Amino acid sequence: MNEKLYNWINWVLYDELIDGKINAPKHLLGIHDYGDGQVITCFKPHSESVSLKTPKGKTLTPMEKINDAGFYGAYFPKKKFKGVNYRFVTDYYDGTTVESADCYAFDGLFTDYDAYLFAEGKNYDIYEKMGAHPMTIDGVKGTYFAVWAPDARRVSVVGDFNMWDGALNPMQIHPASGVYELFIPDVNPGAVYKYQILTRYGDILYKADPYGNYNQMRPDNANIVADLRDFKWSDKTWQDNKSKEKRVDRMKEPMSIYECHLGSWKKKIEDSDFGFYNYRELAKMLGDYVKEMGYTHIELLGIAEYPFDGSWGYQVTNYFAPTSRYGDPTDFMYFVDYMHNLGIGVILDWVPAHFPRDAHGLGRFDGMPLYEHGDPRKGEHPDWGTFIFDYGRNEVVNFLTSNALFWVEKFHIDALRVDAVASMLYLDYGKQDGQWVANENGGKENLEAIALLQNINTVMEERNPGAYLIAEESTAWPGVTAPASMQGLGFLFKWNMGWMNDFLEYMKLDPYFRKFNHNRLTFSLSYAYAENYILVISHDEVVHLKCAMLNKMPGLEFDKYANLRTAYGFMLGHPGKKLLFMGQEFAQLREWSEARSLDWYLLDENPLNKKMQEYVKELNHLYLKYDACYYNDVDPMGFEWTKVDDADSGIVAFVRRGKTAKDQLLFVLNFVPVERKDYKIGVPCKTKYTEILSSDEERFGGLGRNTVGTVTAKEGKCDKMDYNLTIDVPPLSMTIFKYDYKE
């Protein structure tokens, strides 16, 4: 061996390399100045010889083979090569020859400042460094990889480009952060990869990239290199308009959400685990349908990659990758772009509360608890069998915060609906005594999770003022939608789970018993302005033997449809934004299943289903037309009961007010199958009230018993009002009148 080469080699690192334990390979491999000369080394297992190719590609310089394991070196008395302008030509024993650039000749891209911000939990653009990023460095195309694994002994990139051999591309550790990085030349978009991790205990793990942007189709679970820069967005007008919105303005805007599971809205091939439509195909079919039906937003059940279909996307293994079930990341970008060009906002369900135990996922990522808390009392959900994020670890906080920003900034998502917020807020959520640890004050509040949610909402509003977060929070936690600066959590909206539970329980009752449960119908108005609410009838209400919405309704077929139309009418009039799960708009008969399409055939088989669809469409368009339905959702002046105490009759009435005295609305609802003739209802002023919609119209499946037309109020006390109307109220119905308020 050349004496200079022998003296330069760090033989401790050499042993680590040969043993597969090296975590700083750039200290041994690559190009290095040595006095006036240069040393170049490489490690090419299973090779017969390696030569160096000059920049011009004409001269081959054989390298000295130092051992049979495949370690080579060359010493040059003078500096012959600059930077990365050389290539290896490797001859293997099987007769193949491979030419490649030297991945250890490139400088690292993860800076000390990156490490500082990451350790502080404030490197919000960390997704630009972590993961796999195709790029060109010094004229060489390849992919830069970076992963956080501070407790690993060694991390290698393995994939279809290096025979999944962990010895070939060990990564360089950034010592201050525990981040491993490596730029690998000639690895292009479409390459399949994982991280091979040698733990401190000698175990070998194969992990998917926590920051990877594209995954193989399940059941395979490796990552695929993707370039998110390729897509050309066409939604600039939408984005510009959104960025100009003020927080208060969104409260006064219409919001009718169509909650959707892409894989089962429609399937290309039924009874197939792979018969999905592509994001691009779904964009047109679903977007055009949602637009026609009058919805303003679509909310997607979990899109971040998940292995098990039955989890519906709520058991996430890859938080930065849209699921490959429906295409690649640019296909999903097309989906969002198409929706925006239709004027439809896109809401994405987001799951920072927990993650599954799948071997390739985040759990025990580097052989030790990393993303999860090490104490199972704080790091595990016993009922769900999942891990809980360690909200007190800054790098984990950074992961979650940057992920929320990632979907908004890279995929133009308009809002995130945060799943299972209650499980984050309470340390004892779903746990028995002995399964949880109190906070520093002795309470059950998860102070670290609270700080995380407050920070995410604050940072989102600062960086993306047109985007916002929605909380699925099922308790009475105060200030969910109050600003973080006022000790609130900072969400813009909260799902109104209390209203949903009470109202559905009321609607399930035989109408005879509803009069004894009248408070279930009316109680929600006592707290309707405590938060900024969205009224939801979500996917969770039509699965697991809870019945489809139609089959929750009592009575025979005709009454079931009449009950459901009345229920949707009450939901329209109640203060709060609106959300219906797919299939509910046409009264799906079966419970929802992720394994099959909605029962679209019902629209051809049963006129009542088609008429229900037309009814919901009419409600949505009426909602958009009359700002009384939404403008004062968070202002008590926007709602007033005019009939609320007559539980025996089953009738309630109320008015909704918009931004002007014109086109205010009077809702009259009858929740029993008994017609009320000459029924007197208090009204706010003496003017004309014109019927604009009735759920009993024949076109919606009713019997057409509303023939009120226009009626003029009379003076006379009724229901604490100075004026009244006398009308016939059909059974199981909702009727809307419009009027212009007069003093």
Side-chain angles (χ1 to χ4, degrees):
M1 183 190 305
N2 180 284
E3 182 180 359
K4 292 281 189 179
L5 179 61
Y6 180 89
N7 291 334
W8 180 86
I9 292 173
N10 182 322
W11 293 101
V12 173
L13 290 179
Y14 169 87
D15 289 339
E16 290 184 349
L17 175 70
I18 302 304
D19 292 341
K21 297 179 179 179
I22 194 165
N23 62 12
K26 288 186 179 181
H27 294 171
L28 177 65
L29 301 176
I31 184 169
H32 303 270
D33 290 340
Y34 186 37
D36 294 332
Q38 281 180 325
V39 169
I40 297 178
T41 61
C42 67
F43 187 51
K44 303 290 183 180
H46 316 298
S47 63
E48 185 175 9
S49 66
V50 177
S51 298
L52 286 167
K53 190 174 184 180
T54 63
K56 295 182 179 180
K58 294 181 179 180
T59 304
L60 292 178
T61 304
M63 298 184 72
E64 185 174 351
K65 191 171 187 177
I66 296 172
N67 67 14
D68 290 336
F71 184 69
Y72 295 82
Y75 171 74
F76 301 95
K78 294 183 179 181
K79 294 180 173 60
K80 183 175 182 179
F81 300 98
K82 293 183 179 180
V84 300
N85 62 348
Y86 63 92
R87 295 179 72 83
F88 296 123
V89 178
T90 306
D91 294 318
Y92 289 94
Y93 288 112
D94 62 2
T96 60
T97 299
V98 176
E99 182 178 324
S100 62
D102 184 0
C103 60
Y104 298 103
F106 296 85
D107 292 333
L109 300 181
F110 196 82
T111 68
D112 289 343
Y113 188 59
D114 286 327
Y116 168 76
L117 289 178
F118 188 48
E120 291 287 307
K122 296 178 180 179
N123 194 335
Y124 299 134
D125 297 315
I126 192 69
Y127 56 78
E128 300 284 11
K129 290 288 180 73
M130 297 288 198
H133 300 277
M135 61 181 64
T136 300
I137 301 179
D138 294 335
V140 179
K141 289 185 177 180
T143 298
Y144 170 77
F145 297 89
V147 64
W148 179 53
D151 289 310
R153 183 64 185 85
R154 185 262 301 162
V155 180
S156 296
V157 184
V158 295
D160 58 4
F161 45 85
N162 63 10
M163 300 171 288
W164 299 91
D165 188 343
L168 296 182
N169 292 122
M171 305 175 76
Q172 179 78 13
I173 191 171
H174 186 281
S177 63
V179 171
Y180 286 79
E181 61 176 340
L182 190 65
F183 175 75
I184 306 182
D186 306 320
V187 173
N188 299 312
V192 179
Y193 74 98
K194 275 189 176 181
Y195 295 117
Q196 186 194 76
I197 297 175
L198 174 67
T199 73
R200 298 284 176 179
Y201 301 101
D203 297 323
I204 297 289
L205 307 177
Y206 288 86
K207 290 289 190 176
D209 188 345
Y211 289 85
N213 299 137
Y214 187 25
N215 280 63
Q216 291 180 304
M217 177 68 165
R218 53 101 176 101
D220 295 327
N221 52 43
N223 295 94
I224 301 172
V225 176
D227 194 339
L228 301 187
R229 301 169 299 177
D230 288 345
F231 186 75
K232 304 301 181 185
W233 291 91
S234 64
D235 65 346
K236 185 177 186 305
T237 299
W238 173 274
Q239 292 290 89
D240 288 346
N241 290 338
K242 184 173 71 173
S243 66
K244 295 174 184 176
E245 290 178 354
K246 301 297 183 183
R247 189 182 184 98
V248 66
D249 291 338
R250 282 194 290 268
M251 298 297 104
K252 298 180 180 297
E253 294 295 319
M255 192 174 190
S256 180
I257 304 167
Y258 189 69
E259 189 191 27
C260 184
H261 177 263
L262 289 180
S264 58
W265 183 72
K266 282 184 181 178
K267 289 190 73 172
K268 185 178 292 188
I269 305 172
E270 291 292 352
D271 302 320
S272 169
D273 289 337
F274 299 92
F276 301 119
Y277 284 101
N278 182 276
Y279 288 116
R280 294 174 185 262
E281 296 171 312
L282 286 164
K284 180 167 178 55
M285 292 189 300
L286 181 55
D288 293 353
Y289 177 75
V290 169
K291 182 71 173 179
E292 179 187 0
M293 288 294 295
Y295 291 98
T296 63
H297 293 72
I298 183 168
E299 179 175 327
L300 302 179
L301 272 62
I303 287 297
E305 191 62 81
Y306 57 101
F308 176 48
D309 287 12
S311 80
W312 312 331
Y314 297 110
Q315 300 275 355
V316 180
T317 51
N318 296 86
Y319 277 77
F320 287 81
T323 178
S324 58
R325 287 167 176 80
Y326 320 121
D328 63 31
T330 57
D331 293 331
F332 184 55
M333 289 176 171
Y334 177 92
F335 178 94
V336 177
D337 195 55
Y338 190 91
M339 292 294 171
H340 287 171
N341 281 292
L342 288 177
I344 298 167
V346 180
I347 302 169
L348 190 64
D349 282 3
W350 186 56
V351 192
H354 63 126
F355 59 91
R357 296 172 177 268
D358 296 72
H360 69 284
L362 299 177
R364 304 298 191 263
F365 185 80
D366 57 6
M368 298 290 287
L370 185 64
Y371 288 90
E372 71 276 27
H373 199 285
D375 185 340
R377 296 173 299 172
K378 298 180 70 174
E380 299 181 19
H381 272 302
D383 289 346
W384 297 350
T386 55
F387 288 122
I388 301 172
F389 282 103
D390 185 352
Y391 304 116
R393 190 165 192 170
N394 285 345
E395 295 89 347
V396 176
V397 168
N398 205 140
F399 174 83
L400 292 171
T401 306
S402 66
N403 184 244
L405 296 168
F406 168 81
W407 290 107
V408 171
E409 295 173 359
K410 289 296 184 182
F411 286 88
H412 294 196
I413 296 300
D414 300 290
L416 299 173
R417 197 278 291 180
V418 184
D419 184 66
V421 170
S423 74
M424 299 174 66
L425 296 176
Y426 298 96
L427 293 165
D428 64 343
Y429 187 92
K431 298 179 180 180
Q432 304 299 319
D433 289 345
Q435 293 182 328
W436 63 283
V437 182
N439 64 32
E440 62 189 31
N441 301 320
K444 62 182 180 180
E445 300 81 10
N446 191 329
L447 303 179
E448 294 162 342
I450 293 167
L452 168 70
L453 294 172
Q454 290 174 327
N455 185 62
I456 289 176
N457 280 300
T458 300
V459 172
M460 183 66 75
E461 189 170 2
E462 291 173 351
R463 286 178 54 132
N464 305 284
Y468 52 91
L469 280 78
I470 302 165
E472 185 216 14
E473 202 285 307
S474 55
T475 73
W477 186 279
V480 172
T481 58
S485 59
M486 299 174 63
Q487 306 307 310
L489 295 182
F491 289 93
L492 189 64
F493 292 106
K494 172 182 173 175
W495 274 18
N496 196 334
M497 312 288 278
W499 170 85
M500 177 188 70
N501 291 326
D502 286 345
F503 183 57
L504 291 183
E505 289 303 312
Y506 177 83
M507 292 305 303
K508 291 176 189 176
L509 293 170
D510 183 295
Y512 175 79
F513 295 102
R514 287 175 178 169
K515 62 184 176 183
F516 305 114
N517 292 269
H518 195 62
N519 65 310
R520 290 180 184 264
L521 182 66
T522 61
F523 177 66
S524 59
L525 269 300
S526 67
Y527 61 84
Y529 307 104
E531 304 278 5
N532 304 327
Y533 282 118
I534 298 176
L535 306 182
V536 297
I537 303 178
S538 72
H539 63 280
D540 281 327
E541 306 314 307
V542 291
V543 291
H544 301 325
L545 303 181
K546 293 182 182 178
C547 295
M549 279 297 293
L550 185 72
N551 288 322
K552 295 180 193 290
M553 303 296 114
L556 299 177
E557 182 184 54
F558 181 85
D559 284 344
K560 284 180 179 291
Y561 283 90
N563 266 292
L564 189 55
R565 291 193 300 271
T566 306
Y568 289 163
F570 183 74
M571 182 179 181
L572 174 75
H574 193 291
K577 311 308 180 186
K578 323 297 179 188
L579 178 147
L580 276 182
F581 182 56
M582 65 181 196
Q584 295 174 1
E585 78 276 15
F586 63 83
Q588 167 100 3
L589 295 178
R590 293 189 293 178
E591 283 191 337
W592 169 62
S593 168
E594 81 285 343
R596 62 172 183 259
S597 295
L598 296 179
D599 294 337
W600 295 102
Y601 63 84
L602 292 172
L603 297 174
D604 298 320
E605 290 188 358
N606 189 339
L608 288 174
N609 292 96
K610 182 65 176 175
K611 291 179 178 181
M612 180 65 75
Q613 185 187 47
E614 288 299 315
Y615 175 67
V616 173
K617 177 180 176 180
E618 188 75 13
L619 290 183
N620 281 336
H621 284 281
L622 185 146
Y623 174 75
L624 296 176
K625 182 178 179 180
Y626 294 98
D627 67 14
C629 293
Y630 58 80
Y631 188 80
N632 289 309
D633 273 334
V634 296
D635 190 333
M637 69 86 61
F639 177 95
E640 185 177 9
W641 290 111
T642 65
K643 174 76 69 174
V644 68
D645 296 329
D646 192 1
D648 288 341
S649 75
I651 291 179
V652 295
F654 53 84
V655 294
R656 293 299 309 273
R657 302 183 180 95
K659 60 183 174 182
T660 70
K662 290 185 174 298
D663 288 340
Q664 297 184 6
L665 301 179
L666 169 69
F667 286 74
V668 180
L669 299 106
N670 185 355
F671 287 96
V672 299
V674 178
E675 184 176 14
R676 304 296 182 183
K677 291 282 190 180
D678 298 325
Y679 191 81
K680 185 177 291 187
I681 296 171
V683 291
C685 62
K686 186 177 181 180
T687 188
K688 292 182 178 180
Y689 293 78
T690 301
E691 179 185 322
I692 57 173
L693 187 141
S694 169
S695 66
D696 194 50
E697 293 178 46
E698 292 182 15
R699 62 184 174 131
F700 303 137
L703 297 179
R705 287 164 289 193
N706 265 49
T707 56
V708 175
T710 298
V711 61
T712 301
K714 300 177 180 178
E715 291 188 20
K717 284 282 187 180
C718 179
D719 303 314
K720 300 180 181 179
M721 297 280 173
D722 292 329
Y723 309 95
N724 66 81
L725 299 177
T726 300
I727 59 174
D728 296 339
V729 184
L732 295 176
S733 69
M734 182 276 301
T735 308
I736 305 176
F737 299 85
K738 74 170 183 177
Y739 66 96
D740 295 339
Y741 183 79
K742 294 183 178 180
E743 293 287 349

